[in-house]
Amino acid sequence: MARRLGSESFRRDFGVDYAYLSGSMYRGIASKELVVAMGRGGFMGFLGAAGLSPDRVRGDIAHIRRNLAPHQPFGVNLLCDLQDPARETAAVERLLAEGVRIVEASAFVKVTPALVLFHLSGLRRGPDGAVVRGHRIVAKVSRPEVAREFMRPAPQALVAQLLAQGRVTPEQAELARGVPVAQDLCIEADSGGHTDRGVPTVLLPSMQGLRRDLTREFGYTEAIRLGSAGGIGTPQAVAAAFTMGADFVMTGSVNQCTVEAGITDAVKDRLQEIDVQDTDYCPAGDMFEIGALVQVLRKGVLFPARANKLFALYKSYDSWDEIPEGTRRQIQETYFKRSVEEVWRETREHLERTGRVAEIGRAERSPKRRMALIFRWYYGYTSRLSFTDPERDPANVQVHTGPALGSYNQWVKGTPQENWRNRHVDRIAAGLMREAAGILTERLHALA
C-alpha cells in the first residue's frame, strides 16, 4: 500500500518506489551520504548545494554517482540568486556539464533565464511526437503567483534570447511552447528555513485550482503534479497530504536530525530534544533588507531575538553611527563578539574574494547599505557556528528547522529512534510511508 500512495506517473518518471522526496538543506546538511541513502532506499533526495563551493558540489556529485546504481535517482538544489543572476546561470551551466538531470528550484520568485536554460536543454521530441523531458525541475513554491510562473510555458522573450545566443536549438524553442517550465511543483507550507508561513489545507487546494485552470488554458497533455511539504513529520501528516490529493510529499526538518545529515553532533543533540513550539521566525540573512522570513531553532538560543533586533534597528536608523552608543556596544560585545571595524574588514575581504567589489563601493557611498552588510555578517557568523563549533558561542547559534521535527520527536519518544544516532533518512521515510498507508487503510475500512 505504501508504494501505491501518490502519483504513479511521478514514481515512473523519477524512477522511485515511493512518491516521497527529501528536500535540500543548505551547505550540505542534505549531504551526499543522505542522498545516497535515499536513493538506495527507493526514494530520492536532493543534495544541499546552496552555500557550497563549485569544487565541493562537483565532488559530492561524483560521490553520489559512485555509490548509486544508474537507475537510482538523485537531484541537486538550485537556489535563486537575486543579487547575482550571472552566478545563478554559472551554477546551471556547471550542473549541465555534470550531467545532472533533476534540480530542486528553491527561493525563486519568478522564472529566470538560468531556469529556462536548464528546462529547454533537456527537451526533445520522442518517437511518437510527444515532448520528452530530459531534465526535470521540482519547483518549491508557496505563493500562487510564483506557482503560475512555473505552470506556464517558458516566457517567449527568454526563449528567444537563449535561441539567439545559440544556447538552445530551434526545436527546443518550439517544444517549449507546449509544456510548463516545471511538471512537478512542491507546495511548501510553513517550513524550516525560508518560509511564508503558509497553511497546507489552504495552499494545496488553491494550487490545485490553478493547475486545473492553466491546464485548460494551454491544453497540456501531461499532468502537472503537485506535492506537499512543510509540516511533514508524522504518518498522520503524510496521510493528510495524500488525502488532499498530493501527488508526492517532501520532508525536510526531520532529516536534519539523522546520522546522514551534514551538521555537527552537538546541533543534532539539541534538535532531538525540541517540541513543536520550539522554533521562531526572523529575517533571512540573504534577503535581510526586505525582511523575508526564515524559521529557526529557538530553544536554548538567543539568535532569533537578536536577529529580529538587528532588523528593527535597520528599519529605524540610516547608519550604524546613528544607533545609540549603548546599543552599539551591546551588539559588538554580545552579538558579534568583536568590534564593528573587525566585522567590516571581514565583510570587505569576503566580498573581494567572491568577486563582488562593486558591493564595497555601494556600501562606502551609502551608510545604510554598509549597516545592512554589517548586520548580514552576523547571519554568516551564526550559521557557521552550527557547522563548526556551536558550543563555542551557544547563544548565537543559527539553525534552520521547523515544527515538523518536534512532532517527529514526539512520535518516536520512548523508541530507539528517540536518539538521533538511531535515525536514518531512508528508515524515517519508509516508516512514515508505511504508517501513513496503515492509517489510510484503517480509515477506508471504517467508512466501508
Side-chain angles (χ1 to χ4, degrees), residues 180-220:
V181 172
Q183 186 180 2
D184 302 280
L185 288 80
C186 190
I187 312 308
E188 191 174 27
D190 192 25
S191 62
H194 291 86
T195 180
D196 282 328
R197 295 193 283 188
V199 179
T201 52
V202 173
L203 279 178
L204 188 57
S206 173
M207 301 295 191
Q208 289 166 336
L210 183 61
R211 171 179 63 183
R212 178 198 62 227
D213 295 343
L214 291 176
T215 297
R216 288 175 181 169
E217 178 181 348
F218 293 103
Y220 294 141

Side-chain angles (χ1 to χ4, degrees), residues 116-178:
V116 175
L117 173 62
F118 185 85
H119 164 52
L120 265 64
S121 296
L123 294 183
R124 60 183 174 84
R125 196 177 296 281
D128 60 353
V131 179
V132 176
R133 289 180 181 269
H135 299 154
R136 293 194 173 275
I137 296 171
V138 178
K140 292 173 76 172
V141 298
S142 56
R143 301 173 68 92
E145 70 271 20
V146 178
R148 182 183 295 274
E149 290 251 332
F150 282 98
M151 290 188 201
R152 295 171 61 90
Q156 281 303 300
L158 296 184
V159 175
Q161 176 184 331
L162 292 170
L163 181 61
Q165 294 169 349
R167 308 187 79 178
V168 301
T169 67
E171 181 184 60
Q172 289 167 336
E174 179 60 31
L175 294 176
R177 294 177 178 272

